[in-house]
Amino acid sequence: MGHIKIALWGSLALLTGLWLLTDASVWQAAGFFPLRDPMVQLTGVLAMGCMSIAMVLALRPRWPEQWLGGLDKMYRLHKWLGIGGLVLSVTHWLWSQGPK
């Protein structure tokens, strides 16, 4: 389970880091509504990233099999990426529609 957690959280951290490099306005947000727009963007980027990685894993490529420990572990990562994508997309929707 160690490699799956590293792959899941590492991919989310990588996407968050890349997003932070491109959007400097998140550091200047003071208050709820100025913070809302960057959070909508971040949750959208993370949800799309989870679903994109899950779609790549659905193709059953051979290169992550050895590192993850087999096809069953790759399916498990695919499952957790799908769950994470769903949670992040609902969070994205709540950030965009909820506080109005």
Side-chain angles (χ1 to χ4, degrees):
M1 188 76 172
H3 288 282
I4 296 172
K5 287 182 183 179
I6 290 170
L8 177 66
W9 293 109
S11 62
L12 292 176
L14 177 69
L15 287 171
T16 302
L18 289 173
W19 177 79
L20 284 172
L21 286 174
T22 60
D23 190 14
S25 67
V26 71
W27 304 112
Q28 300 164 352
F32 179 73
F33 284 103
L35 182 66
R36 181 177 155 249
D37 288 336
M39 288 299 108
V40 168
Q41 291 176 6
L42 176 63
T43 54
V45 165
L46 291 176
M48 286 191 306
C50 280
M51 287 299 179
S52 299
I53 296 169
M55 286 178 63
V56 168
L57 289 178
L59 295 172
R60 293 186 289 183
R62 293 193 186 262
W63 52 269
E65 264 187 61
Q66 185 177 9
W67 188 75
L68 289 171
L71 189 60
D72 58 333
K73 303 290 194 304
M74 199 167 74
Y75 283 153
R76 190 175 298 158
L77 177 60
H78 173 82
K79 176 186 85 168
W80 283 111
L81 283 168
I83 292 170
L86 177 66
V87 168
L88 285 165
S89 62
V90 169
T91 306
H92 172 77
W93 180 80
L94 286 174
W95 270 107
S96 64
Q97 300 296 321
K100 292 181 180 179

